[in-house]
Amino acid sequence: MSAFRSGGNVHVNGIRLHYLLYGQPRAGRDPVIILPGITSPAVTWGFVGERFGREFETYVLDIRGRGLSESGSSLDYSLDAQAADLAGLAAALKLSRYSVVGHSMGARIAVRAARMGLPGLARLVLVDPPVSGPGRRSYPARLDWYVDSIRLASRGCDAEAMRAFCPTWTDDQLRLRAEWLHTCDERAVRESFDGFHTDDVHADLGGICVPVRLIAAGRGDVVRDDDISEIQRLVPGASTTRVTDAGHMIPWDDEEGFYAAFEAFLGARLDAATSKEKEHVSQRS
């Protein structure tokens, strides 16, 4: 049975923001807001929303300039504007207490928003956040990878054409990306990518006052061991883990490993059903 409840729009900071809602309110469990990455409309995180929705009321946001949220030639795509959107979304939804899970760009948005002040923020999960910034090594992905694939999708393409950009993805994942990638505004992506190198999120980390969990990919070069050590120094008490068999797009590469990496940080295990199934098999064997 699907955990999907509805899509919705709110008017925040002068623009329309769209979100997808999964799951029902659970007593004793905070709602969760998921912030996807630089070219990931909310619908592409639907499979994650479904799993989260089993345990939490879950909102997956279309970041401005992506999906069904507003875009435009004069829209502000800065990190500060995106962070203000998160605060505005939580206020518009009347969430008095909630957790945030940010992947890649979404993690940087969450860090900036937490530093700026997020009333009601209970916990923060940073999933393979780009650690680039002023005076730091560049983000390992290339801008043309994003731009070329967006332009291809904007002309219309099928899953097979998208495979050149995401060779390890399943046919279903490729079909969804081919269908929705055109909704990512090219200027929004360019400005966010530039921001990976000009925004100093490390200066924001010390201002976070809620429990933090860092989930890093086991493959790729986005978050290295020394980056983890630095984040732990800047955010004392932050818990960390790696998903060994995954690259930057962790839930696409190792979905079950991604859920297991949360453990009970959010208040309930996302892999609880899998664990119970394993326990049942063990008792029978």
Side-chain angles (χ1 to χ4, degrees):
M1 182 177 177
S2 175
F4 177 70
R5 283 171 56 190
S6 66
N9 295 284
V10 293
H11 190 73
V12 169
N13 299 328
I15 69 168
R16 180 192 69 256
L17 288 179
H18 175 261
Y19 63 87
L20 300 176
L21 173 59
Y22 297 84
Q24 300 291 334
R26 298 287 192 97
R29 297 184 187 179
D30 299 320
V32 175
I33 299 174
I34 295 178
L35 304 179
I38 189 169
T39 55
S40 294
V43 67
T44 64
W45 277 72
F47 69 106
V48 176
E50 288 282 1
R51 177 64 69 90
F52 270 73
R54 297 181 191 174
E55 306 296 338
F56 308 97
E57 183 179 54
T58 303
Y59 300 84
V60 186
L61 178 63
D62 271 325
I63 307 298
R64 59 169 61 200
R66 286 89 174 167
L68 299 182
S69 285
E70 191 165 335
S71 62
S73 59
S74 61
L75 208 62
D76 181 358
Y77 291 122
S78 68
L79 184 61
D80 283 348
Q82 293 168 335
D85 286 347
L86 173 57
L89 175 74
L93 297 174
K94 296 181 171 54
L95 301 179
S96 60
R97 182 180 164 92
Y98 55 93
S99 298
V100 173
V101 175
H103 172 248
S104 192
M105 179 189 75
R108 290 171 67 93
I109 294 170
V111 168
R112 176 60 56 88
R115 193 267 297 170
M116 292 169 63
L118 273 178
L121 179 65
R123 302 175 187 85
L124 180 58
V125 181
L126 308 177
V127 182
D128 220 40
V131 294
S132 46
R136 296 177 177 273
R137 74 178 187 276
S138 298
Y139 182 58
R142 292 176 46 170
L143 177 60
D144 60 4
W145 185 92
Y146 299 109
V147 171
D148 291 349
S149 59
I150 290 170
R151 291 179 178 177
L152 179 66
S154 295
R155 292 194 299 270
C157 71
D158 60 13
E160 193 57 36
M162 198 57 63
R163 195 180 303 279
F165 297 91
C166 309
T168 64
W169 288 22
T170 67
D171 289 346
D172 286 343
Q173 291 166 349
L174 292 169
R175 277 192 290 269
L176 196 60
R177 188 165 179 81
E179 179 184 1
W180 281 89
L181 187 59
H182 74 91
T183 68
C184 295
D185 182 88
E186 183 177 322
R187 185 171 70 86
V189 172
R190 286 182 177 274
E191 294 194 11
S192 291
F193 187 88
D194 288 345
F196 286 175
H197 303 91
T198 58
D199 293 315
D200 187 1
V201 295
H202 288 79
D204 299 328
L205 285 166
I208 297 176
C209 301
V210 298
V212 172
R213 185 163 181 81
L214 172 64
I215 298 175
R219 295 187 276 106
D221 196 36
V222 176
V223 179
R224 300 174 180 172
D225 288 344
D226 57 336
D227 299 319
I228 292 177
S229 297
E230 182 179 13
I231 291 171
Q232 288 177 320
R233 289 195 302 272
L234 292 169
V235 189
S239 61
T240 65
T241 188
R242 281 196 184 275
V243 182
T244 305
D245 295 327
H248 182 59
M249 302 299 285
I250 298 177
W252 281 258
D253 291 342
D254 183 1
E255 186 179 357
E256 292 305 322
F258 174 67
Y259 301 133
F262 285 82
E263 296 182 340
F265 181 78
L266 295 175
R269 292 191 67 102
L270 291 159
D271 61 338
T274 303
S275 298
K276 289 176 182 177
E277 181 180 346
K278 289 180 179 179
E279 180 181 355
H280 181 64
V281 170
S282 176
Q283 290 173 346
R284 288 171 50 194
S285 59

